[in-house]
Amino acid sequence: MAEEFEPKIVAFLCKWCSSAGSDLAGVSRMEYPPNVIPITVMCSGSVSPLYIFSAFNKGADGVLVSGCHPGDCHYIKGNFYARRRIALVKKLLEYVGLEPERFQMSWISAAEGVKYTQVIKDFVQELKPLGPQKKLRRTQ
Amino acid sequence: MVNLEELKKEARQILKEGKVKYIIGFQRSSNGLLPVPAFIKNPEDVEKLVWDPTCVYNLTLFLRDEKRKKAKEKEPDERPVGIVVKGCDSRAINVLLQEEFIKREDVYVLGISCENTGVLDEKKLAKKLKGKKAKKVEFGAKDDFVVTTEDGKIKIAAQEVLAERCLECKAHFPVVYDVLIGEKTKRNVENPFKSLEKIESLPPKERWKFWKEQIDKCIRCYACRSVCPMCYCDECVADTINFVVTPDTPAEEKAQKIKWLEKSPVSSENFVYHFVRAIHLAGRCIDCGECERVCPLDIPVRFLNKKLEKEAKELFDYEAGFDPDKPSLVSSFKDDDPEDFIR
């Protein structure tokens, strides 16, 4: 029997909200799929598009960028900049034909451990039927 | 009609008065149809200046070199540089002003209006002439070009041989200038993103096939980067050797430099390069189409930039190069920016 495909997700989590949210999910012993590789960043606005392209290039099946809800940013407006930039990256990736499900963004606050597990669960469910991401992956 | 004599007169005068260091314009080349950039210091040399539909280059590129040269000089000449610009090039000047890369007093802009036409697409003309060689192309009396070949002159409707970007141009006249030559004419462009439609309308699989085929061709010659007036970063992620490496940079430090992408021209690395370039030009690209023209492999690079130009317009109502006092696309936001894609 063939093993089920387990997608690899790289998640850029804002230190102040989403990362704390994932911590909450952890300490509350909520269960969620182990497919995600969390990378804590100082702000969702500090996520350069290059990180995202690089993640796909190095073999991620999906990339998640998660930050604070609008208005809650620790740096006042970092997530607003992120929202604009990520929208452009998303459009560009879709334009060249990458499946739109592979790149997602979410707002998760430090209190939303449940939402975090739900976002990851949904993301994994969406990625499974797509199979491994081979389009942008480095082949050498 | 644009009167070349008017341009020459103006150029001669500012050179005589010593208002500018030199003037960057177009001059006839000894070989081929397209002109070459001219750097004119003496009023006598002004006669060399030309203006015709073959003046496709975006000369604002040389403002980058000028800035670098000036930074190295001990006692720099503080006078501005005269520069001949078309509508699209003037928007490039606006973006450079917006980013404070140049100051307004550093340039003396000699704006030329394209009026109802624009510049030539050499490939389209070659197709049209069916093997005959064009020697000279001039603006005709009314929305047409007069092409001189071995067999004499022929008239061709401008629409047939105009560069794709000119057909979708939003402003045919300079938006920033010290002197304007020609008239500010308005031409209605029904859909400024028409050329994109044929790619956008494809299903995702076909789109991927198309882009894969195109991007795979890339040999990473970086011509698109070199020719772009907006690509003025001193260090580029695309070439690691560019990361200020001096003879005394220790091997350890060199090894620790992050290699975002490999230099080898394979599909995956090419994609990262072109993505980075496209995103870096989002809200800055003024669609001069030079990247596509210089590409030795005919990759439609312009369509990547054009797509982001379209998204910037549709999602954020932002157009590059019209207002140097406005904050740039990615350094500003609105409270009601779309967020329907966010969970």
Side-chain angles (χ1 to χ4, degrees):
Chain A
M1 202 182 100
E3 257 182 60
E4 202 186 358
F5 162 67
E6 289 294 340
K8 215 184 257 177
I9 300 168
V10 176
F12 294 98
L13 309 175
C14 152
K15 176 184 188 289
W16 305 97
C17 304
S18 306
S19 187
S22 77
D23 248 3
L24 180 68
V27 294
S28 315
R29 312 244 166 160
M30 295 174 201
E31 260 184 51
Y32 65 92
N35 305 47
V36 58
I37 301 161
I39 297 176
T40 307
V41 290
M42 288 309 285
C43 177
S44 54
S46 75
V47 178
S48 158
L50 186 55
Y51 297 177
I52 297 151
F53 303 141
S54 198
F56 282 123
N57 178 263
K58 308 227 163 26
D61 298 310
V63 175
L64 173 77
V65 177
S66 186
C68 313
H69 287 271
D72 289 353
C73 181
H74 186 76
Y75 307 101
I76 318 297
K77 47 192 183 180
N79 52 358
F80 287 110
Y81 292 129
R83 184 170 64 181
R84 232 176 212 209
R85 203 172 309 149
I86 300 297
L88 291 171
V89 174
K90 202 164 163 59
K91 289 283 181 194
L92 181 66
L93 289 174
E94 280 171 35
Y95 179 54
V96 298
L98 191 80
E99 297 87 347
E101 293 87 1
R102 291 204 190 272
F103 179 48
Q104 312 247 4
M105 189 177 186
S106 64
W107 301 137
I108 297 170
S109 84
E112 291 176 326
V114 184
K115 184 175 176 187
Y116 177 74
T117 58
Q118 197 53 49
V119 165
I120 301 295
K121 273 180 206 160
D122 292 349
F123 202 171
V124 172
Q125 279 314 312
E126 280 171 28
L127 287 181
K128 275 191 176 164
L130 294 178
Q133 186 270 123
K134 285 181 187 155
K135 288 177 176 169
L136 303 175
R137 186 185 211 136
R138 188 176 287 174
T139 41
Q140 288 169 325
Chain B
M1 270 302 272
V2 170
N3 190 352
L4 180 59
E5 288 312 313
E6 226 177 291
L7 173 70
K8 286 182 185 171
K9 198 180 125 201
E10 186 61 38
R12 201 175 293 123
Q13 198 179 343
I14 52 172
L15 278 173
K16 262 187 192 158
E17 287 173 12
K19 261 191 188 168
V20 292
K21 262 189 268 189
Y22 57 89
I23 290 174
I24 312 173
F26 301 97
Q27 69 182 14
R28 270 277 77 76
S29 77
S30 51
N31 182 22
L33 181 66
L34 296 187
V36 289
F39 299 86
I40 294 169
K41 284 199 173 97
N42 302 320
E44 306 88 73
D45 293 339
V46 163
E47 282 309 312
K48 284 186 196 163
L49 281 180
V50 293
W51 170 249
D52 60 35
T54 60
C55 296
V56 292
Y57 313 129
N58 186 346
L59 297 176
T60 50
L61 172 67
F62 297 104
L63 294 177
R64 177 181 77 182
D65 301 348
E66 166 61 27
K67 180 171 170 161
R68 290 200 178 134
K69 215 171 77 194
K70 204 171 154 186
K72 281 185 195 153
E73 281 168 13
K74 274 188 183 155
E75 285 171 5
D77 188 344
E78 291 296 343
R79 284 179 297 168
V81 176
I83 183 163
V84 177
V85 297
K86 303 183 288 290
C88 43
D89 313 343
S90 78
R91 295 202 293 277
I93 289 191
N94 257 348
V95 175
L96 294 177
L97 288 172
Q98 183 183 27
E99 294 169 354
E100 294 182 19
F101 182 71
I102 53 170
K103 288 193 220 94
R104 185 65 184 85
E105 56 268 26
D106 285 346
V107 280
Y108 189 91
V109 185
L110 298 155
I112 300 189
S113 171
C114 291
E115 298 192 333
N116 278 323
T117 53
V119 294
L120 187 77
D121 185 327
E122 233 191 337
K123 283 170 199 150
K124 278 190 192 169
L125 181 71
K127 224 179 201 175
K128 184 91 191 154
L129 292 179
K130 293 185 189 115
K132 271 185 283 181
K133 226 175 161 185
K135 284 182 181 155
K136 203 174 164 192
V137 183
E138 290 160 299
F139 287 108
K142 201 175 180 294
D143 299 353
D144 56 0
F145 292 158
V146 181
V147 184
T148 314
T149 61
E150 294 124 28
D151 315 342
K153 289 185 180 185
I154 38 169
K155 268 189 190 175
I156 298 178
Q159 293 286 331
E160 288 175 41
V161 287
L162 270 185
E164 198 91 328
R165 57 162 158 139
C166 292
L167 293 171
E168 299 176 342
C169 184
K170 284 165 286 189
H172 304 254
F173 46 83
V175 283
V176 52
Y177 54 83
D178 292 295
V179 186
L180 178 69
I181 291 142
E183 279 168 52
K184 282 189 181 184
T185 49
K186 262 214 166 136
R187 186 175 69 189
N188 283 334
V189 180
E190 276 169 32
N191 183 357
F193 303 106
K194 195 157 185 283
S195 60
L196 269 182
E197 275 169 10
K198 67 170 185 266
I199 304 175
E200 278 182 329
S201 61
L202 293 172
K205 265 193 184 154
E206 294 291 311
R207 237 169 23 224
W208 169 252
K209 215 176 120 198
F210 170 81
W211 279 114
K212 169 120 173 108
E213 212 169 87
Q214 297 296 333
I215 302 286
D216 269 1
K217 290 194 293 191
C218 180
I219 53 168
R220 299 280 282 285
C221 65
Y222 302 123
C224 46
R225 188 183 68 182
S226 303
V227 82
C228 182
M230 302 304 161
C231 273
Y232 58 68
C233 303
D234 290 327
E235 293 183 359
C236 181
V237 284
D239 36 20
T240 348
I241 48 160
N242 227 3
F243 280 104
V244 196
V245 176
T246 57
D248 22 270
T249 308
E252 198 189 354
E253 198 188 317
K254 271 191 256 180
Q256 277 173 359
K257 294 277 187 207
I258 303 171
K259 233 184 204 169
W260 291 107
L261 65 160
E262 297 289 334
K263 292 173 81 183
S264 43
V266 294
S267 175
S268 61
E269 311 306 301
N270 290 353
F271 265 108
V272 177
Y273 168 66
H274 285 282
F275 283 159
V276 168
R277 217 185 94 78
I279 280 289
H280 207 164
L281 287 171
R284 303 170 70 227
C285 176
I286 42 84
D287 199 17
C288 63
E290 284 288 274
C291 43
E292 189 166 315
R293 189 185 60 83
V294 295
C295 184
L297 290 135
D298 284 339
I299 300 172
V301 200
R302 181 177 158 257
F303 284 148
L304 284 175
N305 302 328
K306 193 85 186 157
K307 170 69 182 174
L308 290 178
E309 192 187 325
K310 181 180 176 184
E311 296 303 338
K313 175 82 184 125
E314 286 179 357
L315 298 176
F316 311 116
D317 195 25
Y318 182 92
E319 275 179 305
F322 282 96
D323 186 358
D325 301 320
K326 236 166 112 180
S328 68
L329 175 71
V330 286
S331 70
S332 61
F333 62 86
K334 281 188 206 139
D335 288 342
D336 56 348
D337 277 344
E339 56 171 8
D340 47 342
F341 61 95
I342 300 172
R343 288 163 182 243

